[in-house]
Amino acid sequence: MTRLTPVAGDQRISRASALGLLIARLCLAAVFLYSGAAKLIFWSGGLEEFAALGLPVPVLALTATIVLQLGAGTALAIGWCSGPAALALAAFTVAATLVGHPFWTFQGADFHRQLTTALEHLAIVGGLVAIAATGSGPFRP
């Protein structure tokens, strides 16, 4: 017998589904929390990376990236405003992938490496959209 957990909107989900949503949120958030923390800790390296990408104001872009990754990543992890946080991270991931991994400009092995990275990012976007569509589940503040 499957036990159902009440959630907002009179919807009910199983405990396994609730646990699955928690695990999905934590796994997705980990990517952004790590990246944001690494950029903050290794600021000069992040600044060099953003300048090399040709971003017009690297300091502003890096600051905004860190704030978004740490802020929305934390919100996603704890389940607070997880829908908007997930959508913001999804939009950011699409933009960052287009800027940082333009696979269509490469050839040979480099093309395949860049395409694989872009597809991995697309999978992350899919997970974020799924969280935004289903909600964070009952394990949240």
Side-chain angles (χ1 to χ4, degrees):
M1 173 164 155
T2 302
R3 294 187 182 263
L4 298 179
T5 303
V7 293
D10 204 26
Q11 298 172 343
R12 299 184 188 278
I13 61 173
S14 70
R15 290 181 193 263
S17 294
L19 182 60
L21 285 170
L22 174 63
I23 292 168
R25 283 194 349 249
L26 293 174
C27 289
L28 288 165
V31 173
F32 297 99
L33 292 172
Y34 169 78
S35 182
K39 285 176 178 61
L40 182 60
I41 293 167
F42 303 107
W43 176 267
S44 60
L47 203 53
E48 288 175 16
E49 177 186 353
F50 278 44
L53 290 171
L55 296 173
V57 186
V59 172
L60 181 60
L62 180 58
T63 302
T65 297
I66 291 168
V67 168
L68 177 68
Q69 289 183 324
L70 293 179
T74 299
L76 183 62
I78 66 172
W80 180 74
C81 293
S82 59
L87 290 177
L89 290 169
F92 166 79
T93 301
V94 169
T97 301
L98 292 173
V99 171
H101 301 282
F103 58 88
W104 57 91
T105 65
F106 291 87
Q107 305 237 338
D110 289 333
F111 167 81
H112 292 290
R113 270 192 292 280
Q114 293 294 328
L115 178 59
T116 298
T117 300
L119 291 172
E120 290 167 350
H121 290 183
L122 183 62
I124 292 169
V125 169
L128 291 166
V129 171
I131 292 294
T134 62
S136 60
F139 297 117
R140 64 187 189 292

